[in-house]
C-alpha cells in the first residue's frame, strides 16, 4: 500500500511539475527576447537553456519575470484542480494572486508582458504598485481588467517640515500618498472613485 501511494504521489508531482513548466515556458516564449526553453527541475529550480542546451544567464528583470510566471503558473494549476474529486488528493483552490511590486526591475517590454499574462493566471489578482511602477503602459494594459483601485496613504504624527509632499493623480482626482502632523501613525486605504 505504501509503495502504491508513493508511486501515485510521484506521478501526481511529475504531472504537476510538467503542467507548471509548460505554462511558464509559454509565458517565456511570448514575452522574453531570448530564444530559450524553460526547465523546472525536481527541486523546482527554474533554468533557462539556449538552443544548444547551455544554461542561459538571467538578468535581474528576467529573474523577476520568471518568478512572476512561476507564481502565476502555480495559482493557475491550483485553480484548474479546484473541482478535482479524488480518493487520495485534496482538490486545488481558487485563491487570489497577491503580488507586491511586480514591475520593479522590468523594462517597458517586460512590464507590458507581465501586465498581459498575470490577470490570465488567477481568478483575482491583487497588485501593489508604486507610482513609478504604475506607468501609462502598465495601466493601459491592466485598465479593462481593473475592478477596484485603492491608494495607500502613509500617515505620520511627526512634523514633515522640509519633506516633499507626495501625491498621485488617478482619473483626474489627486490623492495624498504621505500626510504629516496626522492624528495617527499608520496607513489608510482609500478606494479610488
Amino acid at each position: 500500500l505504501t509503495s502504491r501511494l508513493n508511486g501515485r504521489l510521484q506521478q501526481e508531482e511529475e504531472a504537476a511539475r510538467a503542467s507548471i513548466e509548460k505554462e511558464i515556458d509559454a509565458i517565456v516564449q511570448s514575452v522574453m527576447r531570448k530564444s530559450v526553453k524553460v526547465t523546472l527541475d525536481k527541486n523546482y529550480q527554474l533554468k533557462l537553456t539556449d538552443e544548444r542546451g547551455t544554461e542561459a544567464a538571467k538578468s535581474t528583470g528576467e529573474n523577476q519575470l520568471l518568478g512572476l510566471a512561476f507564481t502565476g503558473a502555480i495559482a493557475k494549476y491550483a485553480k484548474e484542480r479546484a473541482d478535482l474529486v479524488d480518493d487520495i488528493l485534496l482538490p486545488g483552490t481558487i485563491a487570489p494572486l497577491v503580488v507586491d511590486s511586480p514591475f520593479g526591475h522590468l523594462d517597458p517590454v517586460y512590464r507590458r508582458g507581465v501586465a498581459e499574462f498575470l490577470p490570465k493566471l488567477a481568478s483575482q489578482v491583487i497588485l501593489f504598485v508604486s507610482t513609478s511602477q504604475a506607468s501609462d503602459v502598465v495601466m493601459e494594459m491592466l485598465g479593462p481588467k481593473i475592478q477596484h483601485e485603492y491608494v495607500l496613504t502613509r500617515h505620520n504624527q511627526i512634523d514633515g517640515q522640509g519633506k516633499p509632499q507626495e501625491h498621485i493623480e488617478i482619473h483626474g482626482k489627486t490623492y495624498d500618498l504621505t500626510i504629516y502632523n496626522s492624528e495617527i501613525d499608520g496607513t489608510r486605504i482609500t478606494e479610488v472613485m
Side-chain angles (χ1 to χ4, degrees), residues 1-81:
L1 181 60
T2 301
S3 175
R4 199 173 92 202
L5 285 174
N6 282 336
R8 170 80 188 281
L9 290 174
Q10 188 174 357
Q11 286 175 341
E12 292 291 340
E13 186 176 356
E14 285 302 318
R17 188 176 9 261
S19 176
I20 292 166
E21 179 184 83
K22 182 179 177 184
E23 185 67 40
I24 297 166
D25 192 57
I27 291 167
V28 165
Q29 298 310 319
S30 69
V31 177
M32 211 173 263
R33 295 178 182 97
K34 295 177 182 176
S35 176
V36 291
K37 178 167 179 20
V38 171
T39 305
L40 185 61
D41 70 17
K42 290 188 182 278
N43 296 318
Y44 292 89
Q45 297 296 312
L46 280 170
K47 293 184 178 153
L48 296 180
T49 53
D50 62 20
E51 50 279 338
R52 295 181 310 269
T54 305
E55 189 170 348
K58 299 181 291 266
S59 69
T60 304
E62 289 167 341
N63 271 320
Q64 185 171 4
L65 178 74
L66 283 171
L68 291 166
F70 179 72
T71 304
I74 290 172
K76 182 177 180 186
Y77 185 74
K79 179 177 75 170
E80 290 171 346
R81 294 173 37 85

Side-chain angles (χ1 to χ4, degrees), residues 139-140 142-144 146-151 168-175 191-193:
M139 297 312 289
E140 181 182 310
L142 292 175
I146 296 174
Q147 293 190 8
H148 299 282
E149 288 180 84
Y150 299 89
V151 173
I168 187 171
E169 187 174 315
I170 304 172
H171 309 303
K173 187 172 179 184
T174 302
Y175 296 86
E191 185 168 6
V192 173
M193 298 296 184

Side-chain angles (χ1 to χ4, degrees), residues 33-34 72 74 84 87-88 106 118 121 137 141 161 170:
R33 295 178 182 97
K34 295 177 182 176
I74 290 172
L84 176 75
D87 59 337
I88 298 173
L106 302 178
L118 266 184
L121 299 177
V137 170
M141 291 294 296
Q161 187 174 10
I170 304 172

